Amino acid sequence: MIRVLAIDDEPLALRQLTTYIQKVPFLELAGQCQSALQARDILESEVIDAIFCDIHMPDLSGMDFVRQLPAPPLIVFTTAYSEYAIEGYKVNAVDYLLKPFGMNDFLRAALKVQEQYNLRHPAGSKEQSSPVQADGTIFVKTDYRVVRLSISDIRYIEGMSEYLKIHLDGGQKPVITLLSMKKMEDYLPAAQFMRIHRSYIVNLQKIQEVNKNRIIMDADTYLPIGDLYKDQFNEYLSRNFLGK
């Protein structure tokens, strides 16, 4: 998960920015502030991977703020003034969003952030801290018990408010646990599991068919592919199917 800080001195613009961040599955809103000075305090106490930062702000502009950072995280500038674009790239900004921008523009910038983040954090770092055991099992708390599950038995995971329903192979009864989708997404190996909807994570090895905007797990189970997850899933398909 990429921890993101949102900075904008305009309350409405900040609200829109944080709403967009919260809609993207691989971003986590770590903080929000209305000035670069507030942001500086957060950076001193929190781990921040990326910043979406307005340029034109009182006291200290977003551009000057970034220039002063000794080791800046990934930066996406947001502003209503197009003349700042070149300056943004001079400080190695990942992208530049010209206000007013919509969700599609924001998502394109977020995907660029994800690409740069993955370059900085090579595959393997997540697995080292993963609760998945060496034998491919995980421990899950359900009711008053802790049960051991083989991740190879997991077909898909369904989000239900604060709970998750883990659907298993072989007619096993689903396991319900108190855990967020984001946490489960972080725990499971990315090479085998993918989030395809705000309410579903699938075991890629269990997919039988893909038909338009849905995944068919079996004759009775059809899972929708959400708009925010479509590009990532289609990229996975393009890497793994035969033919054109």
Side-chain angles (χ1 to χ4, degrees):
M1 195 66 63
I2 303 172
R3 290 174 55 79
V4 175
L5 180 63
I7 311 171
D8 200 304
D9 64 306
E10 299 177 5
L12 290 178
L14 182 61
R15 187 182 309 163
Q16 181 190 52
L17 182 59
T18 56
T19 298
Y20 286 165
I21 291 170
Q22 290 170 327
K23 287 183 176 181
V24 177
F26 52 81
L27 299 183
E28 177 185 354
L29 181 63
Q32 53 182 299
C33 42
Q34 291 184 254
S35 75
L37 298 179
Q38 292 176 356
R40 184 184 292 164
D41 294 336
I42 293 176
L43 285 170
E44 289 177 354
S45 59
E46 298 278 347
V47 176
I48 302 296
D49 301 309
I51 297 176
F52 284 78
C53 181
D54 186 27
I55 292 178
H56 196 263
M57 295 187 292
D59 299 326
L60 182 64
S61 75
M63 195 74 66
D64 290 336
F65 166 65
V66 171
R67 287 195 182 103
Q68 293 176 10
L69 295 176
L74 301 168
I75 304 294
V76 175
F77 283 120
T78 66
T79 184
Y81 303 94
S82 59
E83 61 267 25
Y84 286 115
I86 295 177
E87 289 186 57
Y89 291 115
K90 284 182 179 178
V91 295
N92 295 320
V94 174
D95 206 355
Y96 177 100
L97 287 169
L98 184 63
K99 298 178 181 179
F101 53 87
M103 185 63 206
N104 286 338
D105 293 327
F106 179 85
L107 183 57
R108 280 193 290 270
L111 289 170
K112 291 181 182 179
V113 169
Q114 184 187 44
E115 181 181 2
Q116 292 299 313
Y117 177 85
N118 289 339
L119 290 175
R120 292 188 179 189
H121 302 80
S125 58
K126 185 168 98 170
E127 287 76 7
Q128 292 172 4
S129 60
S130 172
V132 178
Q133 305 297 301
D135 62 352
T137 61
I138 55 175
F139 289 99
V140 176
K141 186 176 182 180
T142 178
D143 296 326
Y144 300 101
R145 303 173 296 131
V146 175
V147 298
R148 188 174 197 138
L149 302 177
S150 173
I151 61 171
S152 63
D153 285 344
I154 298 174
R155 300 178 64 239
Y156 66 96
I157 297 160
E158 180 181 1
M160 306 184 304
S161 186
E162 297 177 350
Y163 291 84
L164 299 180
K165 180 184 283 189
I166 303 174
H167 296 263
L168 303 167
D169 271 342
Q172 300 179 65
K173 184 179 178 180
V175 173
I176 297 176
T177 184
L178 179 60
L179 194 66
S180 71
M181 289 289 282
K182 286 185 178 180
K183 284 287 187 183
M184 181 60 82
E185 187 179 10
D186 285 344
Y187 289 161
L188 294 172
Q192 186 174 350
F193 291 86
M194 181 178 292
R195 192 167 181 179
I196 57 151
H197 187 275
R198 63 183 302 174
S199 299
Y200 294 104
I201 297 171
V202 297
N203 186 336
L204 297 168
Q205 298 174 357
K206 307 293 183 180
I207 295 173
Q208 290 190 2
E209 185 178 332
V210 180
N211 189 336
K212 296 182 180 179
N213 290 326
R214 63 181 184 176
I215 289 173
I216 300 173
M217 305 297 290
D218 56 45
D220 301 313
T221 308
Y222 300 76
L223 305 181
I225 303 171
D227 289 340
L228 291 177
Y229 306 83
K230 190 180 304 180
D231 289 345
Q232 184 179 10
F233 183 72
N234 286 339
E235 182 182 347
Y236 163 77
L237 284 182
S238 67
R239 294 196 308 266
N240 290 280
F241 75 81
L242 298 178
K244 297 183 179 180

